[in-house]
Structures are given as structure tokens and as C-alpha cells.
Amino acid sequence: MIKIGHLKDGKVSLRIPSSVGPSYVVLEHPTFSCVAPIGEYVTSIWRRKKPYPFNGKIVLYARVLCADNDKLKEFRIHLYLIPADRHKLETLDDWKELQGFKNINKPGAINNVFTKTNYIISGKPTANIWPKILQFTTHKEIEDYPFSEINISHSAEEISLNVKTEKSPESELLWKGLLTRADIEELSGEAAQRDAAEHFIDKHRTDLIQKVRHVEPVLDELRRQNLLSEEACSVVRSKPTSQEKMREIFRSVDGWSRRDKDKFYQAVRLHHKTTIKEIGREK
């Protein structure tokens, strides 16, 4: 039997509903107070209008551009100010890894980060930063969270990054981070090693052919990025099994550049993250 709990004057009484539906119950002539709903409505309006504090975190992601060309090489850093939520942080790590960015582990916890507040991003030596203003938000999909992009020459000995509120003086920083020359060299070294090593796609070709079961979403992503023509996609779709479809894709992959293979890897990982991790552990 289903009963409804009714709280009044600090006491709980159980009421039998008039009828019960598949996803609802009906209680005729209820005597619930309207104070709570009104109070919640007023509170929600007040919260929307007033900046509200949260625990936040500064997160940095970096990658090296043109690693094999000293004249063009530079470091690209994405700075995020996001809620200190473990699940969101892990999701963001995965999302940035798909884009070729590495998380730079720096202290970033911040207490009392406010919504509806402008935060100014600055850097030394003089850095190309855009946008220079971020607003903290809590209600976006992780891939839609705003970030500042920072481009710095590879010749920099160290990189200092600062975050403060728009109305605070320069001396009152909300957060300060320092990337040393060792951090920069590590990024450069990893980029060089990645470019010199056998690509994951080539190294694990057999495993990918055997273990990627759902080829259609990967195929859609390759078509979206113009890695495969519509005609080539039709040939892949005509194959009866997932293994034959993957073999047909690899016939095109053999002629791709490392950058295009990166995109293929990212497309597979986006839809088969567990499979990619399993293949990596096995080897």
C-alpha cells in the first residue's frame, strides 16, 4: 500500500492517496502549506540576481604547436575556471586529451569563486591571451565551459599566469601559477617523442579492427572532418561486418599524415574510450 507523508506542526502523519497512477498519486483536498513553495521561488530569484559563491579550481591544459620547427614553435595553454567537481574534472581531462592537450598539474583550488563575476587573466612574459575575461559558471556541458587561450613563444624561460577579479587591485590575486623551464622542456620533449614514435593507430591496427564494434559513429566523425569522402563512406557501409568495415577504413588511413591519424584516433576514442584503454593496457 502507498501512503503519503504529511508534515505539519513538526509532526508527520500518513495519508492514503485517493488514487494511484503509473507515475503519480492523487491526494484529494490536501492541506499543505504554500509557504515552502513561495519561499523556494523567492530564493531561486534571489540566487539568480546575486553572485553566489562556490568552490572552484583553475585547470591548465597545454600542447606544443609546430614542435619540429624552432621558428614557428610555440606553446598553447587553455586556462579553465570551473567548479571543483571530480566528475567534471575527469570529463574535462578526457575532452582535452581528445584535442591533443595535456593537463599541467598545478595547485588550483580556490575558495569562494562567485558567479556573475568577471575574472581577469594575465601572463608574463607578455602573452597573447583571449579572452582576457572569464565568468565562472556551473550550468554548462563540459565541452561548452569557457576558457582563455594563451599563446607563448617557446623561447620563454618561465611563464607566470595570474587570475584576479575585475574590481580587485593588481596586488590582490585570486590565483597565481608558474610554468618553469622544466615544464616547458617536458612538453617539448613529449611532443618530439610523440612525433617520432609509431602512431597508436598503426601500432594497434589489428586490435582496432577486431575490437571496434560500432563503426558507424566513427565513420560519421571521419566524414564530418573530411577525412573520408561520401563515396568512401558508402563503400565502408556496404561491408557486412565491423571487422571488414574497419579494414576498409584502414585502406585510406595508410596514406594519411600523422595529424590525420591523430584525428582518427580521437574519433575512435570519442566513441570507444573503454576499448582504447584496454588496448593500451594490453600492450
Side-chain angles (χ1 to χ4, degrees), residues 47-58:
R47 286 180 178 175
R48 285 197 295 269
K49 290 184 176 181
K50 182 175 180 177
Y52 201 74
F54 290 85
N55 290 328
K57 187 175 178 65
I58 296 288

Side-chain angles (χ1 to χ4, degrees), residues 9-262:
D9 297 330
K11 297 180 181 180
V12 177
S13 60
L14 298 178
R15 304 286 181 86
I16 298 176
S18 306
S19 61
V20 177
S23 60
Y24 63 90
V25 295
V26 176
L27 179 65
E28 293 183 353
H29 310 301
T31 57
F32 300 116
S33 170
C34 65
V35 174
I38 292 175
E40 179 61 29
Y41 176 72
V42 172
T43 300
S44 66
I45 294 177
W46 176 79
R47 286 180 178 175
R48 285 197 295 269
K49 290 184 176 181
K50 182 175 180 177
Y52 201 74
F54 290 85
N55 290 328
K57 187 175 178 65
I58 296 288
V59 190
L60 300 176
Y61 298 93
R63 65 176 296 181
V64 182
L65 302 180
C66 300
D68 57 348
N69 188 324
D70 287 338
K71 291 183 179 181
L72 299 177
K73 183 167 67 175
E74 67 177 18
F75 300 97
R76 177 163 295 171
I77 300 170
H78 288 177
L79 183 151
Y80 285 81
L81 175 56
I82 66 173
D85 180 287
R86 181 177 177 180
H87 174 70
K88 286 188 175 182
L89 289 170
E90 291 176 349
T91 304
L92 184 58
D93 281 349
D94 290 341
W95 175 250
K96 299 306 289 185
E97 185 178 343
L98 287 174
Q99 300 174 339
F101 282 82
K102 178 190 174 184
N103 177 274
I104 303 178
N105 189 17
K106 297 289 181 180
I110 303 174
N111 294 326
N112 293 331
V113 183
F114 289 85
T115 58
K116 301 186 180 299
T117 301
N118 288 337
Y119 291 92
I120 308 298
I121 316 300
S122 61
K124 295 181 181 180
T126 303
N128 182 12
I129 302 174
W130 184 261
K132 294 184 178 181
I133 297 178
L134 287 181
Q135 274 207 350
F136 178 76
T137 182
T138 61
H139 302 298
K140 285 184 178 292
E141 295 296 328
I142 200 67
E143 60 268 23
D144 295 328
Y145 266 91
F147 62 87
S148 286
E149 183 171 280
I150 305 159
N151 295 305
I152 299 177
S153 168
H154 77 283
S155 61
E157 287 298 319
E158 63 180 29
I159 302 166
S160 176
L161 297 173
N162 303 320
V163 179
K164 74 176 193 69
T165 60
E166 189 174 38
K167 296 180 180 180
S168 299
E170 293 294 332
S171 58
E172 293 184 11
L173 297 178
L174 180 72
W175 177 86
K176 182 176 182 178
L178 183 67
L179 274 67
T180 65
R181 188 66 201 177
D183 293 321
I184 295 171
E185 290 294 341
E186 183 176 342
L187 283 171
S188 297
E190 288 183 359
Q193 289 177 2
R194 185 175 63 247
D195 290 342
E198 184 180 12
H199 200 285
F200 184 98
I201 291 298
D202 297 321
K203 185 177 181 180
H204 302 291
R205 176 184 184 127
T206 301
D207 288 324
L208 290 168
I209 289 173
Q210 295 299 321
K211 295 184 177 182
V212 173
R213 300 297 184 186
H214 303 290
V215 181
E216 195 66 33
V218 176
L219 194 62
D220 289 342
E221 187 66 20
L222 297 179
R223 180 69 190 101
R224 187 184 69 82
Q225 298 192 49
N226 292 319
L227 292 173
L228 290 178
S229 66
E230 190 60 48
E231 182 180 356
C233 289
S234 297
V235 173
V236 173
R237 290 190 178 99
S238 69
K239 302 301 178 181
T241 67
S242 61
Q243 288 85 0
E244 291 181 77
K245 289 178 180 179
M246 287 296 290
R247 287 192 188 95
E248 186 63 36
I249 291 177
F250 268 102
R251 289 190 178 93
S252 297
V253 172
D254 289 339
W256 288 355
S257 66
R258 188 175 189 90
R259 184 175 181 181
D260 287 343
K261 289 178 181 179
D262 286 342

